[in-house]
Amino acid sequence: MLRPPEVRSGHVLHLLSGGDEFFPALVGAIDDAQHEVRLETYIFDFNGQGADVAEALARAAQRGVAVFVVMDGVGTPYLPAHWMERWRQCGVQWHRYAPFGYTGVLIPGRWRRLHRKLCVVDGQRAFCGGINILDDWLDPHFGALSVPRLDYAVAVTGPLVAQCHAVMAQFWARLQATRQLESLQWARVRQSWKAFRLLPPPSDAPGASKADDGSVLAALLLRDNVRNRTTIERSYLKAIGAAREHVVLANAYFLPGGRLRRALIHAVKRGVRVQVVVQGQYEYFMQYHAARPVLSLLAARGVEICEYMPGFLHAKVAVVDGVWATVGSSNLDPLSLLLAREANVVVHDEKFAGRLSGALEQVIQGHTRPWDLTADARRPWFERVFDRLAYGVMRLILLFSGRRY
């Protein structure tokens, strides 16, 4: 896996808020593709806006574009039969990453998931963020939603697109080699690994921009289980540690480890205003209850916890001092920071950070409620038991996974 690069100039970035902005931009880019489309996602749901993306991929393949799709085997447990046949006829190549099967949950090594959301079109344009290929108004577990998910992505051109392309191409080659190895297709294994070793470096990826004269500084940060185990977490720690005025985070599943908790508390002690937007609606037992003891601790130390109430929060974004910003797939929780493959774009630019900060300020002012320590302490005893139980189970899972957090 490639080492994450230093922040470089030469980028043009567009902040995309929710599926209403993201999906038209993504479908438009796929429809413009001439040579290749690579897409990775945790969830690929073939309804609503997801069907629009699936159809755009089919159209691209039909006109001779090479289309490669990877989706996570847990986030996407199956593909509808008619879509499998449609893609087969059109020539879309797809792969489900590490399905659990019947015993997968019992094997800690299988807990590693593909959680990043990336797309590269013709090696010239990339998309990165937290938005799955899933209609904002639909949920696989809750059905139709009255309020769309709150989430963000970025569309980007510039040098980091080449790194994104190389990472995705290498990952596809590894998946194909693994699949062929499992089928004992030795000749094809050798061919796949030869292709993997001969992939062009990032600067030579198809359509890569080699210019370094743009005004926007950005970098692609990855989290994997080989060489980039702590890249995204270190980026957050460095930015929070350098903050002097304001830190604002919006994170769907916020359960920071000791280092991140200390960084936030130390920032408050330095006089930095720290605001954290978290999920206010009950979605999943573990994430909801395990986070509450940590949120109460942070609130007691001066961190402003803001619960997003209208619907489901799915964003994974942050702004520090109106200059540093990140948009990506990584939650600040053990699964994302210790086990999952993640991708974030980090941006050093006042205009971009200002747009994201303004969007988050509107959310905080109009759609959140402040964490109430008194009300939290008065909750029924059994809810507090659930909190401790969920937190304990989370720690036990980490123990079995062999990771410290």
Side-chain angles (χ1 to χ4, degrees), residues 82-355:
H82 67 280
W83 275 109
M84 285 194 290
E85 179 61 19
R86 171 91 169 109
W87 277 4
R88 186 193 66 78
Q89 292 178 355
C90 295
V92 175
Q93 302 180 62
W94 60 273
H95 186 99
R96 285 176 61 238
Y97 173 75
F100 258 2
Y102 293 107
T103 60
V105 72
L106 303 176
I107 306 172
R110 300 292 296 276
W111 297 348
R112 299 169 179 171
R113 307 315 315 162
L114 174 68
H115 195 246
R116 62 195 188 195
K117 292 87 178 175
L118 293 172
C119 183
V120 173
V121 178
D122 288 342
Q124 296 179 339
R125 190 168 10 172
F127 295 84
C128 177
I131 303 177
N132 288 293
I133 308 303
L134 173 65
D135 194 299
D136 266 357
W137 295 87
L138 298 173
D139 187 273
H141 305 290
F142 295 91
L145 302 177
S146 59
V147 176
R149 279 178 214 85
L150 178 61
D151 209 344
Y152 301 94
V154 291
V156 57
T157 60
L160 74 76
V161 178
Q163 185 208 3
C164 189
H165 176 272
V167 164
M168 297 176 75
Q170 290 178 358
F171 186 52
W172 177 268
R174 289 176 59 187
L175 291 175
Q176 295 304 100
T178 301
R179 174 186 287 178
Q180 291 155 11
L181 182 64
E182 291 173 348
S183 301
L184 300 180
Q185 300 175 15
W186 298 107
R188 293 188 179 181
V189 168
R190 288 194 295 270
Q191 291 176 0
S192 292
W193 277 105
K194 183 178 180 181
F196 168 75
R197 294 177 63 188
L198 295 178
L199 281 170
S203 60
D204 295 327
S209 171
K210 299 181 181 180
D212 197 35
D213 55 0
S215 60
V216 178
L217 299 167
L220 176 70
L221 300 185
L222 302 170
R223 196 268 146 211
D224 59 44
N225 294 289
V226 184
R227 298 177 64 182
N228 300 306
R229 291 175 181 267
T230 61
T231 302
I232 293 175
E233 183 180 18
R234 289 203 313 269
S235 178
Y236 269 97
L237 290 170
K238 184 176 180 180
I240 295 169
R244 292 295 176 265
E245 296 178 0
H246 189 200
V247 173
V248 56
L249 312 174
N251 218 255
Y253 308 124
F254 185 72
L255 184 57
R259 286 177 296 184
L260 275 168
R261 292 200 300 268
R262 289 191 292 272
L264 294 170
I265 292 169
H266 289 163
V268 171
K269 290 180 178 179
R270 296 195 307 271
V272 177
R273 185 182 187 188
V274 179
Q275 295 176 290
V276 180
V277 183
V278 299
Q279 177 72 269
Q281 298 282 354
Y282 185 97
E283 187 174 8
Y284 301 115
F285 176 88
M286 284 295 296
Q287 288 89 339
Y288 182 85
H289 284 286
R292 297 191 75 84
V294 175
L295 295 176
S296 289
L297 171 71
L298 292 173
R301 301 296 180 88
V303 175
E304 298 177 35
I305 305 297
C306 310
E307 293 185 281
Y308 180 72
M309 299 308 299
F312 290 131
L313 171 70
H314 197 256
K316 307 99 167 55
V317 299
V319 180
V320 176
D321 287 345
V323 176
W324 182 96
T326 186
V327 179
S329 66
S330 182
N331 290 297
L332 298 180
D333 75 336
L335 180 59
S336 282
L337 294 178
L338 295 179
L339 297 174
R341 292 179 179 271
E342 306 283 5
N344 277 40
V345 170
V346 169
V347 184
H348 290 245
D349 181 74
E350 289 186 5
K351 291 183 178 179
F352 182 89
R355 288 194 294 271

